[in-house]
Amino acid sequence: MIDFITVVFQQELFYLKIQAQSIEQYVDTDKIGTIFVVVNDRKLVCHQIDTAWWGVNQSKVKVLWAESFGRTDFLDGWSSQQYYKLATANIADSEWSACLDAKTWFVRHLDFSLLFDQHGRVRLTSLPTIPVFKPAEQSVNTFFDINSQKVIGPAGVPFLFNTQEMNLLIKYLESKNTNLFDYFTEAVQRPKFVTEFMFYSGWIVHRHGDHNKLYSEDQYYTITNIADFEFQDFDSKFNQMQLKENLTASIHRRVYLKLAKQDLETWVKFLRNKKLIDDLSDETVIKELLNTANVE
């Protein structure tokens, strides 16, 4: 059983509704613990979220206001959501929590025998740190007194946190006379730019020497995201999304404004085939995607 965590702001609610339908469609409800939706926006946005979006899973949904974990007005949204992911993973109810972005949608059935190996390890390999995050890597290595050059995969979301390890990390920070809020909200900023997944990955190495106790190198599932600078790669990325090993698909909201009409129609047809937007017209879907893309 796993929990799900999504940090969201008001303009992403259309994405969140599709994600909710994707979870109902492709994740067995008896394998789901709690679905945490953390609103990184004004408190009134919490009331705009309808738990009925999650269908059979609606009783499992907990909508939380992000500021209940501490106010992060001094951070940009990308940085603050990283802190809120970590803070929510610490209060997860299940052994594992899967962190998602609002735009992350399941596109095929999640088979837990393919996600976990026979020893209960997550089958998402560790990856070398890319050059832009080398300063963050050095900061994490120094803090934990380790020498790691890898981060737990899959280089994005879904990312799986182990709840017990997060709890122990919180206690470790307290033993260092700090806490998650004070440490991470400072470390995520310039010049360190420590990310949530890198920070957690460093903790696992500090605890176990490497990632292998909890995370297997034998990865089965892949994920596909079209980043904001990859709009010209739509065709190749879309082909990846249709592979049998590809679990989730996502497109950065700024990509939608750059896609050709034919690509938008192809994407909407894909979502319809996956039964994620059955109750909406194609025109409505495209309008909502473009409206969200226009938000800065």
Side-chain angles (χ1 to χ4, degrees):
M1 185 172 289
I2 63 173
D3 294 350
F4 289 102
I5 297 169
T6 302
V7 181
V8 66
F9 59 96
Q10 196 276 332
Q11 289 84 358
E12 292 182 310
L13 295 188
F14 180 70
Y15 291 172
L16 182 68
K17 183 176 180 180
I18 296 177
Q19 181 185 99
Q21 294 172 331
S22 82
I23 291 173
E24 180 180 31
Q25 186 72 27
Y26 293 110
V27 184
D28 295 336
T29 186
D30 62 349
K31 298 294 179 96
I32 300 172
T34 303
I35 299 172
F36 292 98
V37 178
V38 184
V39 175
N40 192 11
D41 207 321
R42 297 165 298 166
K43 192 172 184 179
L44 62 85
V45 177
C46 295
H47 304 294
Q48 297 176 21
I49 296 171
D50 186 352
T51 58
W53 295 344
W54 284 263
V56 68
N57 299 307
Q58 60 185 292
S59 64
K60 301 173 183 284
V61 179
K62 287 185 179 180
V63 179
L64 305 175
W65 188 34
E67 290 189 13
S68 62
F69 295 110
R71 294 189 64 173
T72 57
D73 308 61
F74 52 93
L75 297 176
D76 60 73
W78 184 76
S79 299
S80 63
Q81 73 167 349
Q82 295 184 53
Y83 164 68
Y84 292 128
K85 290 174 184 177
L86 289 166
T88 309
N90 179 55
I91 64 166
D93 298 311
S94 301
E95 181 180 2
W96 295 91
S97 57
C99 184
L100 308 170
D101 291 331
K103 67 180 183 296
T104 310
W105 305 330
F106 289 92
V107 293
R108 58 186 27 80
H109 180 253
L110 173 56
D111 185 336
F112 279 66
S113 69
L114 298 174
L115 183 62
F116 295 95
D117 70 10
Q118 60 182 339
H119 305 293
R121 299 183 301 173
V122 177
R123 296 177 65 188
L124 293 174
T125 190
S126 298
L127 303 167
T129 306
I130 61 177
V132 69
F133 288 120
K134 282 294 182 179
E137 174 186 86
Q138 183 56 52
S139 178
V140 170
N141 284 350
T142 299
F143 183 77
F144 288 122
D145 191 22
I146 59 175
N147 183 24
S148 177
Q149 297 182 330
K150 288 187 173 183
V151 62
I152 296 167
V157 292
F159 184 94
L160 269 73
F161 290 107
N162 180 274
T163 304
Q164 182 180 25
E165 291 295 339
M166 274 303 309
N167 296 163
L168 291 171
L169 173 55
I170 298 299
K171 292 179 181 178
Y172 176 80
L173 291 169
E174 292 171 351
S175 76
K176 301 273 282 188
N177 296 316
T178 186
N179 56 57
L180 181 64
F181 181 88
D182 289 341
Y183 173 78
F184 189 81
T185 57
E186 184 275 329
V188 75
Q189 298 183 68
R190 185 187 299 271
K192 296 177 182 178
F193 291 123
V194 172
T195 71
E196 74 280 54
F197 303 146
M198 183 169 288
F199 183 53
Y200 171 84
S201 297
W203 166 247
I204 299 302
V205 173
H206 173 82
R207 279 264 296 153
H208 303 289
D210 56 34
H211 301 143
N212 294 337
K213 183 177 177 63
L214 294 169
Y215 298 86
S216 169
E217 295 287 337
D218 179 28
Q219 180 168 337
Y220 175 81
Y221 282 121
T222 60
I223 63 171
T224 303
N225 173 55
I226 304 180
D228 55 355
F229 57 87
E230 295 177 314
F231 68 95
Q232 293 178 321
D233 301 327
F234 177 83
D235 289 341
S236 61
K237 289 278 191 174
F238 183 70
N239 288 336
Q240 292 177 31
M241 292 175 182
Q242 299 179 80
L243 298 176
K244 66 177 182 178
E245 299 88 0
N246 193 76
L247 180 62
T248 63
S250 60
I251 296 181
H252 193 283
R253 59 190 176 86
R254 286 195 289 268
V255 171
Y256 288 111
L257 292 173
K258 302 174 183 178
L259 291 180
K261 181 180 180 181
Q262 182 178 350
D263 292 339
L264 277 170
E265 291 173 348
T266 296
W267 179 239
V268 170
K269 182 178 179 181
F270 176 72
L271 298 180
R272 192 170 300 286
N273 288 341
K274 294 297 180 178
K275 300 181 180 179
L276 303 184
I277 53 170
D278 287 349
D279 58 338
L280 299 172
S281 70
D282 291 2
E283 294 77 12
T284 298
V285 176
I286 291 175
K287 179 181 177 181
E288 291 291 347
L289 293 174
L290 293 176
N291 283 344
T292 301
N294 271 306
V295 177
E296 291 299 327

